[in-house]
Amino acid sequence: EPTGDQPKAIAELLTQLGENAQEAAVLRGITGTGKTLVMSHVIAGLQKPTLVLCHNKNLAAQLARELRAYLGQDSAVELFVSYYDLFVPESFKETTGRYVQKKSVINHDIDALRHRATRSLLTRNDVVVVATVSAIYGLGLPEEYLNASVEWKIGQEIYPSPNENDDGDGFFDALNRMLYQPVDSDDNFEPGTFQHESYEYNETKSSSGPIRKHKITLWPPHERFPVTITADEHQRTIHNDTYFTIRSLEPGTQKGSIPTQSLRIFPARHHVTSAKRMEQACVAIEEELQQRVDELKAQGKNEAMAKLQERVLGDLYMMREVGMCKGMENYSRHMNGREAGETPETLLSYFSSRFGKDEWLLVVDESHVTLPQLKAMYFGDQSRKKTLIKHGYRLPSALDNRPLKVDEFWKQVQQTLFVSATPSAYELEQLKQSSTGFTQ
């Protein structure tokens, strides 16, 4: 329970951010004074979806644990941080002429947490996402991510593949559209993949009875454990085709599987695109490639021209064949239908898309350290990519696969609580505009 100055601080902040609807408030207190407890009571009191921004992974994880303890284990307190255990960005060193390929090792446990965060943003109103500056990097369209998801129910009839007698996706085509990969070996079974087994029924079958049984073990990245789906295959004599009837849906848990009546599955990746949008993007990439090839040819950069053509045409082949390619994020401007220089979609887009700009709260923890990071991300990213573009490693549109600029970030935020032991001039200026002092 709040003690000492904490009840007063909570009441002041709820008045400022709730009753008075101020755009900014500052909570000042040294380490150990219970700022996180105050923060949790303010979040609970305002009843607003909340994004808590931190300056490093460890702090974010600790803060998420504390907020979950204060708000309750059933609350949707999620973590959204960089999922790389190792990351070396793609680059070209002009001084040495050395090209460095992107190298990365993804932590699947952290990737699962990121997917759980976006799932909660799209399905729950009591969501609190604790994030680092990963929140300002491109993430794909929230609408595409939600529209690509599917809900299956016990007893539902579905074709295994698209059928002229049905307007929907087939079962396996839905998995393919959501970018799930089939695997045979248990060694390759990981989040974003599925395994499929089927066998004939041994018992005597009637003309209307099932002819085969199917078991699909699917591992959605937003789940800690795989999901098991069983379905009976039936022969429909009137159309001379087959269809599935879903018999069981069993999400996995640490103690085993638990049957459920319905289940919504979200895509295996955040950058997911409909077939129509994918083809539109491919056409736009082809047009940009031709324009860039003409520019490089006119400049006499034949080596760069050939290198760019080979890479982009290879990427286009993969995108059309399997819906993805290595470095696909570099084509995000075309994938999302944005104009050059237009603000990219990020985690903030998920908040605004679901709740509107005015209906969620931003909390900036250790704001005197976190805010400078927002400024630093954009310029370093652009400098590296301009060099890659100059030497034929990327199309100019790769510049739009970028973090938010500072002004773009603040345009998407309506209400902010800054938390710091030593607020900087920026936070104090926001208070001045709100005509209030900080809360001690």
Side-chain angles (χ1 to χ4, degrees), residues 238-279:
I238 189 170
H239 295 304
N240 193 29
D241 58 16
T242 60
Y243 66 94
F244 286 174
T245 300
I246 295 178
R247 290 303 178 203
S248 69
L249 297 164
E250 299 184 2
T253 69
Q254 198 165 11
K255 297 180 179 179
S257 59
I258 299 178
T260 184
Q261 290 298 305
S262 65
L263 189 68
R264 179 169 290 278
I265 302 295
F266 284 88
R269 296 169 181 258
H270 283 109
H271 290 277
V272 62
T273 306
S274 65
K276 181 180 179 181
R277 188 183 287 272
M278 175 68 79
E279 183 53 33

Side-chain angles (χ1 to χ4, degrees), residues 100-118:
V100 178
Q101 268 192 329
K102 173 183 169 181
K103 297 183 182 70
S104 63
V105 176
I106 291 177
N107 184 313
H108 291 295
D109 292 333
I110 296 178
D111 188 33
L113 295 174
R114 289 164 61 95
H115 278 274
R116 281 201 283 277
T118 50

Side-chain angles (χ1 to χ4, degrees), residues 47-50 68 71-78 115-129 146 224 264 266 350-351 353-356 359-360:
Q47 291 290 295
K48 280 187 173 184
T50 301
R68 193 174 294 113
L71 294 171
Q73 292 301 318
D74 293 332
S75 59
V77 178
E78 310 290 0
H115 278 274
R116 281 201 283 277
T118 50
R119 178 186 62 175
S120 291
L121 277 169
L122 294 174
T123 59
R124 295 185 63 162
N125 295 325
D126 61 342
V127 61
V128 178
V129 179
L146 179 60
R224 289 185 175 87
R264 179 169 290 278
F266 284 88
Y350 279 74
F351 275 92
S353 173
R354 173 82 195 287
F355 305 111
E359 297 304 320
W360 60 277

